[in-house]
Amino acid sequence: MKNKILVVYYSLEGNTKLIAETVSKAVSGDMLEIKPKKDIDPNSKMRYLIGGKKSIIKEKPELLPYNIKSENYDVLFIGTPVWAGNFAPAMRSFFARTNLKHKKIALFSCNGGNNGKTFKNMKSELGENEFLGEIEFKNPLKNDTKKNVEKAKKWAEDVCKKL
Ligand SMILES: Cc1cc2nc3c(=O)[nH]c(=O)nc-3n(C[C@H](O)[C@H](O)[C@H](O)COP(=O)(O)O)c2cc1C
């Protein structure tokens, strides 16, 4: 039977969104964008400070409603920006309300150059699943966008070869 694939992501400034869209196109997966009800202003100069604190105190913001059930998928690509060396708070809310078990999961992130403990922490939240791969991108909207899109596409295809 054909694997059902979902790409779940949060993005404040569009980088993770770009990679999520690229991955979803490459693997013909559905998409689920996670958004807090009250998100930070992406143009605010204070966004690093505000978001960094939210990440450090492990905030779980209330999310905008969505009706895709992640549990109904076999394979999940999960993407987040790196905030204070960790996955973004919106992802923490997603993990808290989702019970993923025995799934095949691949992780991706966008950062400014330091991925910190993002993947390690995501894996510990996700527990009993099989991890097919992980990859990070450095601000792909600003750096080598075309090359990064190619990199994302190839990675997603390679992950699917493992299915
Ligand atoms: C609140 C906040 C905290 C951040 N913390 C880090 C960090 O610890 N390490 C890093 O390399 N980049 C950090 N960044 C940069 C983002 O991870 C990076 O710009 C990423 O590409 C943004 O993804 P997005 O456009 O999908 O939101 C931070 C950005 C924000 C807004």
Side-chain angles (χ1 to χ4, degrees):
M1 222 171 62
K2 204 167 165 261
N3 281 302
K4 279 188 76 183
I5 305 179
L6 181 68
V7 181
V8 185
Y9 74 99
Y10 164 74
S11 182
L12 180 67
E13 297 173 76
N15 293 277
T16 315
K17 184 184 180 79
L18 170 74
I19 303 302
E21 285 170 349
T22 304
V23 168
S24 139
K25 227 200 271 170
V27 303
S28 305
D30 292 342
M31 289 244 264
L32 169 58
E33 181 179 16
I34 299 298
K35 269 272 176 219
K37 263 193 178 149
K38 260 180 64 191
D39 211 354
I40 301 171
D41 176 356
N43 299 311
S44 160
K45 287 207 171 69
M46 302 285 281
R47 67 190 189 284
Y48 271 66
L49 214 64
I50 300 167
K53 182 177 171 217
K54 287 177 187 293
S55 176
I56 288 164
I57 65 170
K58 298 190 163 56
E59 198 176 278
K60 289 203 276 290
E62 199 182 332
L63 300 179
L64 286 175
Y66 55 84
N67 48 25
I68 286 188
K69 272 210 173 357
S70 319
E71 289 88 349
N72 292 346
Y73 289 80
D74 312 301
V75 182
L76 292 101
F77 287 83
I78 304 179
T80 179
V82 175
W83 282 17
N86 205 345
F87 56 83
M91 266 302 146
R92 191 174 297 284
S93 309
F94 171 75
F95 291 145
R97 66 149 76 171
T98 315
N99 190 12
L100 296 173
K101 280 208 175 93
H102 313 300
K103 306 290 184 193
K104 294 179 191 235
I105 296 182
L107 305 175
F108 61 98
S109 68
C110 289
N111 60 46
N114 188 351
N115 212 52
K117 293 192 171 154
T118 302
F119 293 146
K120 182 175 173 276
N121 292 346
M122 287 172 97
K123 283 183 192 160
S124 81
E125 291 288 329
L126 285 161
E128 296 163 53
N129 293 285
E130 182 188 345
F131 295 96
L132 297 180
E134 57 194 44
I135 194 168
E136 60 181 281
F137 298 85
K138 187 175 169 184
N139 287 328
L141 283 176
K142 277 199 214 128
N143 306 309
D144 296 321
T145 303
K146 224 178 129 192
K147 231 164 106 183
N148 277 310
V149 165
E150 268 313 303
K151 173 174 144 179
K153 185 169 177 274
K154 182 169 184 312
W155 173 72
E157 287 165 357
D158 286 348
V159 165
C160 279
K161 284 182 194 148
K162 297 183 191 172
L163 298 175

